[in-house]
Amino acid sequence: MEQSPECCWCLFCMCINQANIGVVQSWGRFQKLAEPGFHWLNPFSCQCLAGVLSTKVQSLDVRIETKTKDNVFVQLLCTIQYRVMMQNADDAFYELANPKEQIRAYVFDVVRAIVPRMTLDELFEQKSDVAKAVLEELEKVMANYGYSIENILMVDIIPDEAVRRAMNEINAAQRLQLASVYKGEAEKVLLVKKAEADAEAKYLGGLGVARQRQAITDGLRENILNFSNKVEGTSAKEVMDLIMVTQYFDTLKDLGNSSNNTTVFIPHGPGHVRDISEQIRNGLMEANSAQLKTD
């Protein structure tokens, strides 16, 4: 009695395991297929179990090296899933001595006919089309030998190492170029915003200076009018000189009280004070005149 993982049999009986199918011969010729279960063998007709085939889905990995349309050598890794058709198991048993080599040969033939018509980028984008073409061709051929092609998976596409390195460099350069464009746009926006802020600050600063000078002019005018009304016989010029001299001495007092100031001394005296007061007065009068024209 002989036993195997697929079946057990002796001279008069046999038992086929699940997911298997047996091939029974009589006088050396194929007689029938034995499905899973217990079967009797007729010794008078010389029946015997010629072999057992598995009906499980099997997997075959195929590595193919070929060239694309743009002269890039690539390796394609395919996985073919196939099984024996129960109704045609006798063809699978008798027709092919090595089904895996047969499948591998057809895959090589179809892939090397399709891939050279594609560029490398097209191959990456249309790898499912390549798998579909291989599946259709194998189904037509292997069905005649009792095999059903369940699925074909294009697992991986591996270009030459130098080509992969060049593709990565191109991608990196494109990304750096795009980053430079974004960086330039950001710097442009910053410069524009900075210029707008600077212009706004200068405009507001000018308004502040103008208002300050206007306030000084209004204050001096009120002081002169009040002093002239209260002290008879004084002119506006004399009042202005008195105010300038008072501010001059107040400034000297402030500078003397603070030891942290950096002081620049200019010629001073009654004559110089008069010159300074005339210059300040002329400036204030011009500012007041300009303000009146604007109003």
Side-chain angles (χ1 to χ4, degrees), residues 239-251:
V239 176
M240 192 67 184
D241 291 340
L242 178 60
I243 292 173
M244 291 296 104
V245 171
T246 303
Q247 291 181 348
Y248 176 73
F249 285 113
D250 289 341
T251 303

Side-chain angles (χ1 to χ4, degrees), residues 2 9 88 92 104 115 148 157 174-175 196-197 210 249 260 290:
E2 181 180 348
W9 66 287
N88 296 326
R104 186 178 283 109
V115 172
S148 170
I157 300 173
Q174 291 175 345
R175 293 182 180 275
E196 291 177 353
F249 285 113
N260 295 326

